[in-house]
Amino acid sequence: MIKRVATAVVLIPLVLLLVLKAPLYVLALVAGAVALLAIAEFLKLVTPYGVQPLTLATYVFVALFFVFVIIASTNRTPLVETTAMIYGTALTAAVAPFIFLPVAMKMRRANLTSGYPAAAAAVFAFAYIAIPMALLVGIRQQPAGAIWTIYTLLAVWAGDIFAYFVGKSLGRHRMSPHISPKKTWEGAAASIVASVIVGTLWIQHAPGISSALLRAGLIERPDGMWGLEQPPLWPIILLSAVVNIAAQLGDLVESLIKRGAGVKDSGTILPGHGGMLDRIDAMLFAVPVVWAYGAWRLMQ
C-alpha cells in the first residue's frame, strides 16, 4: 500500500500537468509510448496461451499509427481532427488483419498452426490498447478538451479507489470469483456511485475550474468549459455511470487475460501497481465512451 500511494503521489500530478500544459503532439507521443509499453506486456501475456507473438511487427505497426495520431494532433480544428481520427482509426483497424496475416505466413512458414494466433494477437493488441490511447488524445483535442480529459481520469480513478476500499471493508458477495476473486458487488456499486458523484461535480463546477486554470496559465480558453458549453445534469450522471461500468469491465477483461496466463500482474514497471497494462486497463474501456460522447456533441 505504501508503494502504491507513493507511486500515485508522484504520477498523478505529472499526468495532470501533461494533460493541461503539454502540447498535443507531446501528449500523443507519451500516449504512444504508454501504448507500446502496455502492448509489450500484453504480448508476453499471450505466450502462456501458446501464441508466438509478432512482436517487432506489432511495435512497428503501432508506432506508425501513432505517427498519424501525432500529425493529426497538430490540427487545432476539433471537427477536422475528430473526423480524421474516425477515418484514420477505422482504416488502420480495417487493414490490420491484411498486414499481420501475410507477415505471420512469411515468419511462421515452418509452423503453419502458429501463424493465425500470432496475427490475431497483434490485431487484438492494436484494437485493445493502441486505439483507446489514441482516442485519449482525441478527447484532449475536442472542445473543452482539458476538462473532459481530466473528467475521464477522475471518474475512473474515483471508481477504482472506492471499489477497493469499500470492497475490502464491506464486500461480501463476489462478483466474478473465477476471474477476479477479490471483486465484490458492494465494491462495484460503491465504484459507480463514486464515479457519478466525482464526475458530475467536476462538470458542474467546470466553468469555475476553467477560469482558475486559465488564470494560472495552465490552459488556453478553448481547452476550458464555459457557461453555454456546460451540458445538462442528467446526461452527465448517465455518462459517468456508463464510464464507470466500462472501466470495471476493462478491469475484468485484463484480469481474465492474466488469469488465463497464470500471472498476477502484467509487469513490474510501476511499484505497487504492477505493470503499465494493470494501470490503464480500466481506462482502455472508459476512454472510447467519453470520446464517442464528445464526438457526438461536436457533430450536432
Side-chain angles (χ1 to χ4, degrees), residues 57 68 84 114 119 123 211 288 294:
F68 156 73
S114 68
V123 174
S211 296

Side-chain angles (χ1 to χ4, degrees), residues 202-292:
W202 176 260
I203 297 299
Q204 287 300 104
H205 292 86
I209 295 170
S210 298
S211 296
L213 293 174
L214 185 64
R215 288 194 300 270
L218 291 174
I219 63 171
E220 297 178 6
R221 190 169 183 82
D223 301 323
M225 182 181 293
W226 315 100
L228 296 177
E229 300 172 356
Q230 193 174 28
L233 177 63
W234 283 108
I236 296 305
I237 292 175
L238 179 60
L239 176 66
S240 300
V242 174
V243 167
N244 178 272
I245 293 169
Q248 294 197 55
L249 182 60
D251 195 28
L252 284 172
V253 166
E254 199 228 356
S255 294
L256 173 65
I257 295 170
K258 291 190 297 184
R259 180 72 57 179
V263 300
K264 182 178 182 295
D265 296 320
S266 66
T268 58
I269 193 171
L270 299 173
H273 292 267
M276 186 62 71
L277 186 56
D278 293 322
R279 189 62 271 154
I280 67 170
D281 56 357
M283 202 72 66
L284 296 177
F285 276 54
V287 163
V289 174
V290 180
W291 179 86

Side-chain angles (χ1 to χ4, degrees), residues 170-196:
L170 302 176
R172 298 293 182 270
H173 301 86
R174 302 298 175 187
M175 177 190 291
S176 184
H178 296 295
I179 297 176
S180 187
K182 294 183 180 181
K183 294 190 184 303
T184 64
W185 286 108
E186 292 85 354
S191 179
I192 294 176
V193 171
S195 291
V196 169

